[in-house]
Amino acid sequence: MLSMAPISDRFSTFLLLSLLFSCVHGQMNQNYYKKSCPNLETIVRSVVSQALATEARMGASLLRLFFHDCFVQGCDASILLDDTPTFTGEKTAFPNINSVRGYEVIDAIKSQVEASCPATVPCADIVALAARDSVNLLGGPTWNVVLGRKDARTASLSEANSDLPGPGSSLSTLISMFAAKDLSPQDMAVLSGAHTIGQSRCFLFRDRIFNDININTSFAALRQQTCPLSGGDSNLAPIDV
Ligand code: HEM
Ligand SMILES: *[C@@H]1O[C@H](CO)[C@@H](O)[C@H](O)[C@H]1NC(C)=O
């Protein structure tokens, strides 16, 4: 009889119910796998660290993989789903194809996590942790990752094509694309700080360095050295000097 119980009893009943509720509904939190997969964060960090030792750029690639996952129907690892004869995923979307990298690093982490705690941790949480560790291992900040995502069973090629920002997007288009994900212009500016790390292919920024007037001219001249008016489409340049 809830209504007749003393306050403290009613409070503990409430606590018990909230606890049950959060277990049943799997409320997200930082310690989601503390009991079920205690080595999760150690495994992720060590595989990312090995990948960065082979190629530092991989840290940038893993961060972008997370962004491109999250902007299409949420952070649900939908970007990882391969095409089959009866299923089309997001990997061939224009912003992703020949551009998003790091799938094999996520696969390597997932195998080690499965070996340590089978069928427990979704890829979506692994992608979020790998992005965090990448930034931190490259000398950037760290942050706590709330865990308990669910992996997608679907993906959307059309949403990947429509929702991910492109190199030719205007400022107002970019602002509305972020607003569509409940992100403010300030969020967008902060998140774009991700471009402190990583590289871009020449053909994606050629127009800027040859035709923009609102650009630092010595920076444009510097980039023109490896990104000519014609040819060298896939030449890479650091996004931030
Ligand atoms: C504001 C809108 C954005 C646009 C228009 C944009 C566009 C691009 C383009 C064109 C590239 C080069 C891709 C290539 O060479 O194939 C790139 C790379 C990159 N982007 Fe963005 N991006 C945006 C926002 C973000 C955000 C929010 C993040 C992460 C929080 C991010 C992380 C990265 C990283 C780390 C790279 C380098 C990847 C690598 O070296 O493999 N970008 N971006
Ligand atoms: C312009 O670009 C050059 C080359 O990247 C850089 O050294 C310089 O600091 C930049 N100037 C300004 C005002 O940002």
Side-chain angles (χ1 to χ4, degrees), residues 154-169:
T154 59
S156 177
L157 177 66
S158 60
E159 250 184 70
N161 277 315
S162 63
D163 289 20
L164 287 164
S169 306

Side-chain angles (χ1 to χ4, degrees), residues 88-102:
T88 307
E90 294 160 16
K91 286 188 171 175
T92 58
F94 176 72
N96 294 337
I97 194 166
N98 299 323
S99 185
V100 166
R101 309 169 71 246

Side-chain angles (χ1 to χ4, degrees), residues 219-233:
F219 179 64
L222 180 73
R223 284 293 165 265
Q224 286 169 11
Q225 289 172 16
T226 53
C227 183
L229 249 180
S230 74
D233 278 10

Side-chain angles (χ1 to χ4, degrees), residues 216 218-219 222 241:
N216 172 335
S218 26
F219 179 64
L222 180 73
V241 237

Side-chain angles (χ1 to χ4, degrees), residues 57-68 71 94-101 164-169 174 177-178 183 187-205 208 234-237 239:
R57 183 191 174 195
M58 189 51 74
S61 304
L62 289 168
L63 176 59
R64 185 163 185 252
L65 176 75
F66 184 39
F67 168 49
H68 282 216
F71 245 52
F94 176 72
N96 294 337
I97 194 166
N98 299 323
S99 185
V100 166
R101 309 169 71 246
L164 287 164
S169 306
L174 290 175
M177 292 180 110
F178 278 72
L183 293 166
D187 294 331
M188 182 176 91
V190 170
L191 287 166
S192 299
H195 291 158
T196 302
I197 53 176
Q199 315 226 349
S200 173
R201 286 169 299 162
C202 158
F203 80 100
L204 295 167
F205 61 83
R208 305 287 190 192
S234 297
N235 291 356
L236 291 171
I239 304 178

Side-chain angles (χ1 to χ4, degrees), residues 1-210:
M1 296 298 252
L2 209 57
S3 60
M4 286 164 69
I7 302 243
S8 61
D9 281 10
R10 270 183 274 159
F11 187 60
S12 32
T13 306
F14 166 75
L15 279 183
L16 189 71
L17 287 175
S18 334
L19 205 69
L20 283 172
F21 184 84
S22 70
C23 292
V24 170
H25 291 267
Q27 199 174 69
M28 292 180 68
N29 66 76
Q30 283 170 43
N31 300 314
Y32 200 92
Y33 307 106
K34 204 186 174 102
K35 291 225 170 73
S36 58
C37 197
N39 296 327
L40 172 63
E41 302 211 15
T42 313
I43 295 171
V44 176
R45 198 173 173 92
S46 98
V47 179
V48 171
S49 165
Q50 285 163 37
L52 300 206
T54 309
E55 188 207 19
R57 183 191 174 195
M58 189 51 74
S61 304
L62 289 168
L63 176 59
R64 185 163 185 252
L65 176 75
F66 184 39
F67 168 49
H68 282 216
D69 177 31
C70 294
F71 245 52
V72 184
Q73 301 184 335
C75 310
D76 60 357
S78 57
I79 194 172
L80 303 179
L81 297 173
D82 286 327
D83 286 2
T84 72
T86 54
F87 175 85
T88 307
E90 294 160 16
K91 286 188 171 175
T92 58
F94 176 72
N96 294 337
I97 194 166
N98 299 323
S99 185
V100 166
R101 309 169 71 246
Y103 298 116
E104 62 294 336
V105 178
I106 302 298
D107 288 349
I109 300 170
K110 176 68 168 168
S111 328
Q112 287 206 21
V113 169
E114 285 303 305
S116 174
C117 17
T120 303
V121 184
C123 291
D125 282 334
I126 290 174
V127 169
L129 288 169
R132 187 270 309 268
D133 289 339
S134 291
V135 169
N136 187 235
L137 288 164
L138 287 175
T142 190
W143 58 87
N144 293 322
V145 176
V146 170
L147 299 167
R149 291 167 185 76
K150 301 273 183 256
D151 279 351
R153 291 165 178 272
T154 59
S156 177
L157 177 66
S158 60
E159 250 184 70
N161 277 315
S162 63
D163 289 20
L164 287 164
S169 306
S170 67
L171 179 61
S172 59
T173 298
L174 290 175
I175 289 173
S176 17
M177 292 180 110
F178 278 72
K181 309 292 169 191
D182 270 330
L183 293 166
S184 70
Q186 185 179 348
D187 294 331
M188 182 176 91
V190 170
L191 287 166
S192 299
H195 291 158
T196 302
I197 53 176
Q199 315 226 349
S200 173
R201 286 169 299 162
C202 158
F203 80 100
L204 295 167
F205 61 83
R206 176 183 287 129
D207 198 44
R208 305 287 190 192
I209 59 172
F210 286 100

